[in-house]
Amino acid sequence: MADIIINYRRLDAGLYARSLRDRLVSRFGREQVFLDVTETEGGAKYEEVIGSELAAARVQLVLIGPHWTTITDSAGRRRLLNENDLVRSEIARALQRDIRVIPVLLPGAELPTGSDLPTDIQPLLKRHAVRLSSDNWDADVERLVTNHIGKVVAPVGPSSQPSAETDIPTDRRPDRRRLVLRWIAKSIRFVIRGALVYGYYFVALAVMFGLTFADDVPNWRWLILIAFGIVW
């Protein structure tokens, strides 16, 4: 049985869960990390497998994505409100056992409020949450491993910092606020560049005409000025 179990919703955190699982396996060993997709054998009764793993686990990581509280079932009802929801029941059982339950906030996610959660998993909000960001994914995961999981489960592998290209999930998306700020910054740069370019041309034209009508100024000077403006 594994000491670490990863709780997540596939629609909200599937790729993040796999990435995190790979990092944890490299530090704690394959036998110490349970992720349903990779560790459950075909034909096994899922609820029995999860029950056995939860009975032995010492740490549960609850991965919370941006839509964790709002994902609905086919009837349009929030899944967390379903008493038979597996994500909810896994968290409730871990809280009842009083093991180390760590809410892990994925990029773009915020910690839910009490009104977002059913009563049986509201104690999750009293547990210290750990945030993982896209920009500092490697460092944040390393802190999660060293400062939180490593206090309960002893690592067996060396500390590592995989490259962002291979470690960060490919579906990560910058949050809306960051996109807006980037758009504003690009717009400001565009306006400034436009003002400089058009300002230069106005000055260049004024100088050019001034030199053209001056009898004592050689024509090659204002030709150089025009060429310089085109290159600019």
Side-chain angles (χ1 to χ4, degrees):
M1 296 294 142
D3 283 334
I4 306 166
I5 186 169
I6 301 175
N7 174 279
Y8 71 105
R9 289 200 184 281
R10 296 182 186 179
L11 292 177
D12 197 45
L15 292 179
Y16 286 105
R18 288 175 177 269
S19 176
L20 185 57
R21 182 254 181 196
D22 292 342
R23 288 290 298 273
L24 295 178
V25 166
S26 68
R27 295 298 302 278
F28 300 98
R30 185 176 299 276
E31 300 299 323
Q32 297 301 325
V33 183
F34 180 85
L35 180 69
D36 60 351
V37 175
T38 56
E39 315 324 320
T40 304
E41 297 179 357
K45 294 182 178 180
Y46 184 76
E47 291 189 4
E48 293 181 2
V49 173
I50 292 296
S52 299
E53 294 293 339
L54 283 171
R58 301 169 62 191
V59 176
Q60 182 189 60
L61 302 178
V62 180
L63 305 191
I64 299 176
H67 310 292
W68 188 73
T69 61
T70 58
I71 291 178
T72 59
D73 56 22
S74 58
R77 184 186 182 191
R78 286 201 302 134
R79 289 188 177 182
L80 280 179
L81 299 181
N82 184 350
E83 294 181 356
N84 297 319
D85 178 62
L86 292 176
V87 169
R88 171 181 169 178
S89 61
E90 289 175 21
I91 298 172
R93 279 190 262 182
L95 291 171
Q96 289 173 0
R97 283 195 57 221
D98 199 28
I99 64 174
R100 181 71 64 90
V101 180
I102 305 174
V104 179
L105 303 179
L106 299 175
E110 297 296 336
L111 191 66
T113 62
S115 60
D116 293 326
L117 305 179
T119 305
D120 56 349
I121 63 172
Q122 285 184 1
L124 179 68
L125 302 179
K126 297 181 180 179
R127 303 298 180 104
H128 178 69
V130 177
R131 183 178 296 278
L132 303 182
S133 63
S134 295
D135 293 338
N136 297 299
W137 178 265
D138 289 341
D140 290 344
V141 171
E142 187 62 30
R143 280 192 291 270
L144 172 64
V145 169
T146 303
N147 300 339
H148 302 281
I149 303 174
K151 302 295 184 181
V152 181
V153 182
V156 296
S159 174
S160 60
Q161 293 285 343
S163 67
E165 293 182 356
T166 58
D167 190 62
I168 298 178
T170 56
D171 72 335
R172 65 178 186 178
R173 304 178 182 88
D175 57 64
R176 184 175 300 176
R177 180 175 55 186
R178 187 174 300 169
L179 288 174
V180 171
L181 291 176
R182 288 179 180 175
W183 181 84
I184 293 174
K186 289 181 179 180
S187 299
I188 293 175
R189 288 198 297 268
F190 178 79
V191 171
I192 293 175
R193 289 177 181 176
L196 291 175
V197 170
Y198 282 108
Y200 169 81
Y201 276 116
F202 278 122
V203 174
L205 287 173
V207 174
M208 181 185 70
F209 281 109
L211 294 177
T212 300
F213 293 107
D215 295 333
D216 58 342
V217 178
N219 291 336
W220 60 266
R221 291 188 179 181
W222 59 265
L223 289 175
I224 293 176
L225 184 63
I226 295 175
F228 180 77
I230 293 174
V231 173
W232 175 268

